[in-house]
Amino acid sequence: MNKKSSYYKLFRFSIFILISITAVLLVLMVTISSSIYKRTKLNELKTRGDTFISFLKSSYHEPWEINSPDAQLLHKELEDEYGLTIRIYDTDGNCILSAKSYDENAKDVKQLSESTMKDLKDKEYLDFDTSGFSTDQPHILYGCDFFLKNGIDPSSSHRMYAMFYADSDQINLFTIKISAFYIIFAGFGIYIYYLLYKRRISKFAAYENDFLRISELYTKGNFDEKLSTNISGVPKEITEHVNALASNVEKSEEVSKTFIANVSHELRTPITTVGGFVDGILDGTIPKSRQNEYLVLVSKEIHRLKILISSMLNMSRFESGTMSPNFRETNLTDLVIQTVLMFEKKIEDKNLEVEGLGEGRIVAVADADLMQQVFYNLIENAVKFINDNGTLSFRFETSDGICTIGIKNTGEGLKNSEIEQVFNRFYKTDSSRGKDTTGLGLGLSISRKIVHLHSGHIVVKSVYGEYTEFLVQIPEKGPEKKG
């Protein structure tokens, strides 16, 4: 795994958090478990101590009677069976019953201190021994006072003190065992988590490396590779969006290269022509008698350059969104008729029949100048590619708030492959290359931009060898206002 990967840092952080939480849980679990076990052992010690005290209360009434053989026997049995150390003290703190009572080898017992007797009066002590009963190992202690009734005078009684000690090894051993068990269990769990999570993180890290590597290729213009979309745990939409973005950039790169190549070609041709004619006039290659003829050709080429540059500037304005149309109520039928009149001579030269201009008028909110440019481009194409003695048809319709203007011409028509590309910038059909030597291939592309600016659509229908029809559809009430 790459240690520079953000997923590796996440992996280390998650392991650190897991170990920290495990350690906290270890402390809590051991503390709670040990406390419960300790309380159980203390309650057991208290129960046995109370049992022994009950026996003394019921069997004996005077302190000196407690050291009887029966009391010693029970004392010995409890100490041997449960590992207890039992000591009974009289009112003055003197030990009157202990192992020393029946075993000479047992340790001597010191007198109970006044502070201890004071602490035990009418109170119990049930916890670890803090009085230093044994220096070898800690013990738990149950201490209390109790009363023996006076056999002669039942109304009077003797205060006695009892101390019950038990080994705390079991509590310590339990704490060690539960700690060891939890550490082993938690360690095994952390190890399994480490293996599984590391495997998953490794996949993410590999995906991140691929993402960075492929992204770097994209920045260098290499779009041969695409990001995988089937990485478990990574949202599929992210890689799909990135791949789509890369495809769009790749397409834009291709379009830009094509655009530059086409512009270079379109500019080179008229510039070369103009330069050649001017050089010919200057060096005398072109005789003076023909200079005006060639100057007319130079003027046409310069006009062509002007149209090309103007068209490209308009295209740039459309794409950058800086075009500000002047929308107002416009008679679209009249606008089409005015545009048709501009081609009157060409229509007469080809002996064309014009249909549909006398149909009903349609009015829409639009930019008249921009829409006339659309109609000019479409009619120019129709007149240019229509067959001699052909028919140029127009139709005007309004339905459901949408105005439709149709411009149809008979003639060669378009192939299916040409229909798909006819609106692309600088595109010219195979047949138009021979018939249209002055066209730039921008007219239809600009027309579509203008129609889209009106929130409309422009479509083409054609049957190869029969006709071509362009339909312009825009909202009657103009484009919807945003925001």
Side-chain angles (χ1 to χ4, degrees):
M1 187 188 301
N2 185 2
K3 293 185 177 181
K4 294 183 179 180
S5 169
S6 59
Y7 285 106
Y8 176 75
K9 295 177 182 177
L10 176 63
F11 174 71
R12 288 193 308 173
F13 180 73
S14 63
I15 293 297
F16 171 76
I17 293 298
L18 179 63
I19 293 175
S20 300
I21 293 175
T22 303
V24 172
L25 291 177
L26 170 64
V27 173
L28 290 175
M29 183 175 179
V30 170
T31 301
I32 294 173
S33 300
S34 298
S35 177
I36 294 174
Y37 188 76
K38 170 189 170 184
R39 180 54 52 188
T40 301
K41 288 298 180 181
L42 288 173
N43 289 336
E44 288 179 359
L45 177 61
K46 183 178 185 304
T47 300
R48 288 162 186 157
D50 289 342
T51 301
F52 185 71
I53 291 173
S54 296
F55 168 77
L56 294 179
K57 284 181 177 181
S58 61
S59 302
Y60 306 99
H61 299 89
E62 298 293 341
W64 53 267
E65 294 179 338
I66 289 179
N67 203 358
S68 66
D70 290 340
Q72 293 178 6
L73 179 62
L74 179 59
H75 181 281
K76 187 175 186 308
E77 288 178 352
L78 288 174
E79 287 198 343
D80 292 342
E81 183 175 353
Y82 299 111
L84 304 180
T85 298
I86 304 173
R87 293 174 179 177
I88 305 299
Y89 298 85
D90 62 15
T91 303
D92 298 322
N94 298 312
C95 183
I96 58 176
L97 178 60
S98 67
K100 189 68 176 177
S101 301
Y102 50 83
D103 185 359
E104 294 181 355
N105 295 322
K107 293 182 179 181
D108 294 330
V109 180
K110 296 180 181 180
Q111 186 177 16
L112 200 63
S113 66
E114 291 185 4
S115 61
T116 302
M117 289 189 292
K118 183 178 179 181
D119 291 337
L120 292 180
K121 282 185 178 181
D122 302 320
K123 289 185 290 186
E124 294 180 348
Y125 180 85
L126 186 63
D127 207 332
F128 279 101
D129 173 39
T130 59
S131 62
F133 164 72
S134 173
T135 57
D136 297 331
Q137 59 186 15
H139 283 70
I140 54 176
L141 167 64
Y142 171 49
C144 65
D145 65 344
F146 65 96
F147 294 90
L148 290 180
K149 293 181 179 180
N150 191 319
I152 301 174
D153 182 8
S155 62
S156 64
S157 60
H158 304 281
R159 184 186 293 271
M160 311 294 291
Y161 300 95
M163 305 289 278
F164 301 89
Y165 298 91
D167 197 336
S168 63
D169 278 350
Q170 289 185 331
I171 297 176
N172 297 330
L173 184 61
F174 175 82
T175 302
I176 294 172
K177 285 182 177 180
I178 194 67
S179 299
F181 171 79
Y182 186 83
I183 290 173
I184 293 173
F185 180 79
F188 181 75
I190 292 174
Y191 180 69
I192 295 298
Y193 175 83
Y194 170 82
L195 294 179
L196 296 177
Y197 194 53
K198 182 180 179 181
R199 181 179 179 184
R200 188 174 183 84
I201 287 295
S202 297
K203 290 182 179 180
F204 291 156
Y207 168 80
E208 184 182 51
N209 291 335
D210 283 342
F211 190 97
L212 294 175
R213 180 179 59 82
I214 295 174
S215 297
E216 185 177 1
L217 292 177
Y218 289 168
T219 61
K220 297 177 180 179
N222 184 347
F223 300 95
D224 293 338
E225 291 189 62
K226 293 293 184 289
L227 293 171
S228 176
T229 58
N230 59 354
I231 302 297
S232 176
V234 177
K236 186 178 180 181
E237 294 78 5
I238 294 178
T239 51
E240 287 179 344
H241 290 332
V242 173
N243 287 336
L245 178 62
S247 297
N248 290 337
V249 173
E250 182 179 17
K251 186 176 179 181
S252 298
E253 289 281 338
E254 294 175 356
V255 171
S256 297
K257 291 177 182 178
T258 303
F259 178 79
I260 293 172
N262 288 331
V263 168
S264 300
H265 173 75
E266 294 292 343
L267 289 175
R268 187 184 301 113
T269 301
I271 289 174
T272 302
T273 302
V274 169
F277 290 162
V278 171
D279 289 342
I281 292 173
L282 292 175
D283 62 19
T285 303
I286 299 175
K288 290 185 178 182
S289 60
R290 299 193 62 188
Q291 285 182 2
N292 285 340
E293 176 185 345
Y294 280 94
L295 286 175
V296 170
L297 295 176
V298 169
S299 177
K300 289 183 178 180
E301 291 298 327
I302 291 175
H303 181 67
R304 181 183 175 191
L305 278 173
K306 181 180 178 181
I307 294 175
L308 175 61
I309 294 171
S310 178
S311 298
M312 287 190 297
L313 287 174
N314 285 336
M315 181 69 73
S316 176
R317 291 171 66 194
F318 288 135
E319 293 181 344
S320 64
T322 58
M323 177 67 73
S324 300
N326 180 22
F327 293 111
R328 64 180 185 273
E329 193 172 272
T330 303
N331 190 315
L332 299 179
T333 305
D334 288 346
L335 204 58
V336 171
I337 293 173
Q338 293 171 14
T339 308
V340 171
L341 292 176
M342 297 178 186
F343 296 91
E344 185 175 4
K345 187 176 185 307
K346 292 183 178 181
I347 290 173
E348 291 178 354
D349 290 342
K350 285 194 171 185
N351 194 27
L352 303 179
E353 182 178 352
V354 180
E355 298 177 345
L357 291 179
E359 295 182 3
R361 301 291 188 261
I362 60 173
V363 177
V365 176
D367 185 306
D369 294 334
L370 291 178
M371 289 306 300
Q372 185 167 34
Q373 186 177 350
V374 173
F375 298 144
Y376 185 93
N377 290 334
L378 296 179
I379 294 171
E380 182 185 36
N381 275 351
V383 173
K384 188 180 297 182
F385 299 112
I386 195 172
N387 57 308
D388 291 343
N389 302 313
T391 302
L392 182 62
S393 305
F394 298 87
R395 62 187 174 103
F396 307 92
E397 300 173 354
T398 301
S399 177
D400 297 329
I402 300 297
C403 295
T404 301
I405 300 94
I407 301 174
K408 179 179 179 182
N409 67 277
T410 58
E412 187 175 343
L414 298 172
K415 299 176 183 177
N416 289 336
S417 59
E418 294 172 337
I419 292 176
E420 296 175 358
Q421 305 180 69
V422 74
F423 290 106
N424 293 345
R425 287 179 290 187
F426 294 106
Y427 177 75
K428 291 185 178 182
T429 63
D430 293 336
S431 60
S432 69
R433 295 184 184 278
K435 299 176 183 179
D436 180 22
T437 57
T438 61
L440 306 175
L442 286 173
L444 292 179
S445 181
I446 291 176
S447 297
R448 183 172 62 175
K449 293 287 184 183
I450 294 174
V451 173
H452 287 175
L453 202 61
H454 286 71
S455 299
H457 302 281
I458 180 171
V459 295
V460 58
K461 298 180 180 180
S462 183
V463 175
Y464 189 68
E466 295 185 16
Y467 73 90
T468 299
E469 181 179 25
F470 285 88
L471 298 175
V472 177
Q473 299 173 326
I474 62 173
E476 183 180 10
K477 296 182 179 180
E480 294 182 1
K481 294 182 179 179
K482 297 181 179 180

